[in-house]
Amino acid sequence: MKFEEIKKQAQSRWRKIWNDQTPVILVGTATCGRAAGALEVLQAIKDTVKKQNLNCLIYEVGCMGHCYAEPLVILRKPGFPSICYGHVNPVLAENLINHFILNDDPCLEFVLGALEENDLIPSFFDFPRSKYEKRILLKNCGHINPEEIEHYIAKGGYESLSKALQMKPEEIVSEVKRSKLRGLGGAGFPAGEKWDVCRHSEGEPKYLICNGDEGDPGAFMDRAILESDPHSVLEGMVIAGYAIGARHGYIYVRAEYPLAVQRVQNAIHQAEEYKFLGENILGSNFNFDIKLFQGSGAFVCGEATALIASIEGKPGMPRHRPPRVAVQGLFGKPTVLNNVKTLAYVPHIIKNGADWFLQTGTEKSKGTAVFALAGKVVNTGLVEVPMGTTLRQLIFQVGGGITKGKRFKAVQIGGPSGGCLPESVLDLPIDFDSLQESGAMMGSGGMVVLDEDDCMVEVARYFLDFTQKESCGKCTLCRLGTKQMLDILEDITKGHGKMEDLETLQELAEDIKQGSLCGLGRTAPNPVLTTLQYFREEYEVHIKEGRCPALMCQTLIAYYILPEKCARGCDACVGTCTVEAISTDKKRRIKVIDQEKCVKCNTCVAACPPQYDAVIKLSPPDQVPGFKITSSGAENDVSKSS
């Protein structure tokens, strides 16, 4: 069957779904939704529809990006716009069916936003961040069923592949080069140049690899695309394979992404059935197959040569370059390795042209950037903004600002090997070069927002601990240097640091960057270097005063109960203390904390009713004015010393 016939059939069915008088219900069942209870909501909807004997179409969709409001449900009913509801539970799901589907009551008190302009739903239900975003890679996420290939085709899917097969391979490479598309996995190397080198390198067969080994803490951009719109990645891979002369492709996905693995495998089978993969694709002479390879979760396998070694069945360790992967990669043959987002962009560029792509972004960084907003930000989730958007716009306008009204302190951008940037650089435009100049990096798109309660020394220690444990150990400087830096940071967070340690950290960091073989080692010191650059005073306070200003470093803090605030009849803290460190002084009828038993888990602070607010954290633990520290707590009237 010709592509135009396939497209016509798919669009006909799609129009019937959305233009028919039948209500449509979409439930976001990506990993984020499932973690919040989306499958229970889905079952409640199915049960209610069956109980009411309703004629409704129910589809599972991917991640819309509004992860802060999961589970998400979209209801579409004739006469109404598509309405998105957030924080849906099984009871609310049943009520929405009964009130909206049956009785035309949209239940405005539960509306998160309307997806189209309308006169029925007030304008304040428009998604506030939509005017700042530009969704290209995420446009289908949360709006189509990722397990139905016809949904993707009806939205324009595989048109670019049909167009590309009528072009010469060198024309495709030229168009991608002209678009200035850069690798969105972190390095930012021009994709078209990589393709051109591979195409002209000697050796057959050539290979194409999609890197979906996303290991950054707090990052889930690639996972969301693979779970929500897998065919966009497959289409980009087939086009790239045709352009470079490859016949075989691999998608490398970590096994910790079971839903992504399932949906990608399903998409591969469907693409083969529709002749978008396999022999003589769409009636052409081009043959291309894709295999799914599940990685074992090693962070270092995100590096190109380590990933290739993993596919070959070898230990995931990087190798020296040159030769470059594009010249000598998988099984010693020319190979192109691109990130999920890079390949998902290819169909858009082929369909709309390089000039269209060049209209968005900065001079050297074109297109959009997808970020996973995490940490102390109100609207956590996935966002897609034009390159050049400032960090301030992304965090405060798109992300909604800092949670609980706290003060912004820093943003850790670029994954565990990225940098921690302070408020003074919030007006920095987001692009590859500007971030690198500031000491950070674009990375794959992870972004963790920190507030006044975060200690930057502990944050640097946390991320360095991650990269040190994930080091493959091949390079001496990476293996031993990061361990030495980690030991120094742990000493500082415990109050045992020395001022000369700061110079040692700086020197070690520079040596590790210069002497490491791969990107993991060369960027591992970034959190330490940027916190030393922008938050040096915190290091000095830890060293000189033995104090953690953010009250985060456990060795440097202690918990106390204010006698004048503690309610005599309340035992909330006593009941929640897992180590039984809190007891009641019957003589004075106040509660005290046994400092020798206390593990500083913070449960007493969370348990204390807000109207009392009797539990406090103090630093340093043994230098509190007016306190006489004993094993049974603080023997004094705290109110006088505070």
Side-chain angles (χ1 to χ4, degrees), residues 515-572:
S516 294
L517 183 61
C518 79
L520 186 150
R522 289 195 294 268
T523 59
N526 281 348
V528 180
L529 288 172
T530 51
T531 50
L532 279 172
Q533 177 182 354
Y534 297 116
F535 301 96
R536 191 180 185 90
E537 68 281 359
E538 283 199 36
Y539 283 87
E540 294 178 353
V541 169
H542 279 69
I543 294 170
K544 293 179 180 179
E545 303 178 25
R547 180 170 63 88
C548 177
L551 302 175
M552 192 176 184
C553 297
Q554 289 192 353
T555 307
L556 302 182
I557 63 173
Y559 290 77
Y560 299 99
I561 298 175
L562 300 172
E564 75 279 9
K565 287 190 175 185
C566 182
R568 300 299 185 261
C570 174
D571 289 326

Side-chain angles (χ1 to χ4, degrees), residues 566-630:
C566 182
R568 300 299 185 261
C570 174
D571 289 326
C573 60
V574 177
T576 58
C577 183
T578 57
V579 294
E580 299 181 349
I582 304 176
S583 60
T584 302
D585 186 327
K586 295 181 179 179
K587 182 179 179 180
R588 294 179 294 167
R589 297 182 63 197
I590 63 171
K591 296 175 185 65
V592 293
I593 299 176
D594 188 328
Q595 300 299 326
E596 293 181 358
K597 288 185 178 180
C598 179
V599 294
K600 302 169 185 176
C601 62
N602 208 57
T603 54
C604 55
V605 175
C608 185
Q611 63 266 34
Y612 302 136
D613 195 23
V615 186
I616 61 170
K617 288 190 292 184
L618 296 174
S619 180
D622 56 349
Q623 297 181 28
V624 181
F627 273 107
K628 179 184 177 183
I629 305 298
T630 68

Side-chain angles (χ1 to χ4, degrees), residues 87-374:
H87 305 291
V88 181
N89 56 42
V91 175
L92 176 56
E94 182 178 355
N95 288 334
L96 290 175
I97 302 300
N98 291 329
H99 289 284
F100 186 28
I101 302 299
L102 282 173
N103 296 306
D104 291 344
D105 176 8
C107 301
L108 295 182
E109 63 270 31
F110 302 112
V111 172
L112 185 65
L115 303 188
E116 301 107 22
E117 293 184 6
N118 66 94
D119 297 323
L120 297 172
I121 306 298
S123 60
F124 58 79
F125 285 118
D126 294 339
F127 286 107
R129 69 195 215 181
S130 60
K131 60 184 176 183
Y132 302 108
E133 287 194 82
K134 184 169 185 177
R135 293 203 163 203
I136 299 174
L137 295 176
L138 301 182
K139 73 168 189 171
N140 287 335
C141 297
H143 298 283
I144 65 171
N145 184 347
E147 298 191 15
E148 292 284 351
I149 189 172
E150 285 196 341
H151 284 205
Y152 179 70
I153 296 171
K155 298 284 282 185
Y158 290 108
E159 283 185 15
S160 298
L161 174 59
S162 177
K163 178 181 178 181
L165 292 176
Q166 299 173 37
M167 301 169 63
K168 296 179 180 179
E170 56 268 26
E171 292 176 339
I172 297 174
V173 174
S174 176
E175 193 72 4
V176 173
K177 287 178 68 174
R178 199 166 67 84
S179 73
K180 299 182 180 179
L181 173 67
R182 298 176 68 168
L184 297 172
F189 190 84
E193 292 184 19
K194 186 184 294 187
W195 291 15
D196 198 30
V197 171
C198 180
R199 175 172 172 74
H200 290 96
S201 295
E202 295 182 0
E204 293 291 341
K206 293 179 170 62
Y207 293 98
L208 174 72
I209 301 175
C210 172
N211 183 354
D213 186 60
E214 186 176 52
D216 298 2
F220 48 93
M221 305 76 56
D222 295 347
R223 185 198 74 202
I225 293 174
L226 292 173
E227 290 178 353
S228 307
D229 194 17
H231 285 284
S232 65
V233 182
L234 298 189
E235 184 177 10
M237 289 186 69
V238 181
I239 295 172
Y242 175 69
I244 66 173
R247 297 295 180 267
H248 307 285
Y250 287 86
I251 299 182
Y252 190 102
V253 183
R254 52 181 45 220
E256 291 96 330
Y257 285 176
L259 185 59
V261 169
Q262 173 195 321
R263 289 184 171 173
V264 169
Q265 193 64 68
N266 176 71
I268 291 173
H269 291 324
Q270 290 180 336
E272 289 172 344
E273 290 176 5
Y274 277 72
K275 303 301 181 183
F276 299 133
L277 281 175
E279 302 290 322
N280 302 319
I281 293 174
L282 290 179
S284 69
N285 294 323
F286 177 56
N287 307 324
F288 190 77
D289 61 78
I290 294 177
K291 294 181 180 179
L292 180 67
F293 187 95
Q294 296 184 51
S296 299
F299 181 67
V300 72
C301 285
E303 194 274 340
T305 58
L307 184 152
I308 286 173
S310 176
I311 294 177
E312 292 174 342
K314 303 173 184 175
M317 290 185 174
R319 65 162 172 79
H320 286 281
R321 287 179 285 181
R324 296 287 179 182
V325 169
V327 177
Q328 187 175 316
L330 185 63
F331 305 121
K333 303 300 182 181
T335 304
V336 162
L337 189 147
N338 283 139
N339 174 261
V340 168
K341 298 184 292 296
T342 311
L343 290 165
Y345 239 134
V346 172
H348 297 284
I349 293 173
I350 297 303
K351 180 179 180 178
N352 300 300
D355 291 334
W356 163 83
F357 186 75
L358 291 168
Q359 294 173 5
T360 304
T362 63
E363 182 180 353
K364 295 183 179 180
S365 299
K366 298 298 181 182
T368 59
V370 179
F371 285 99
L373 271 177

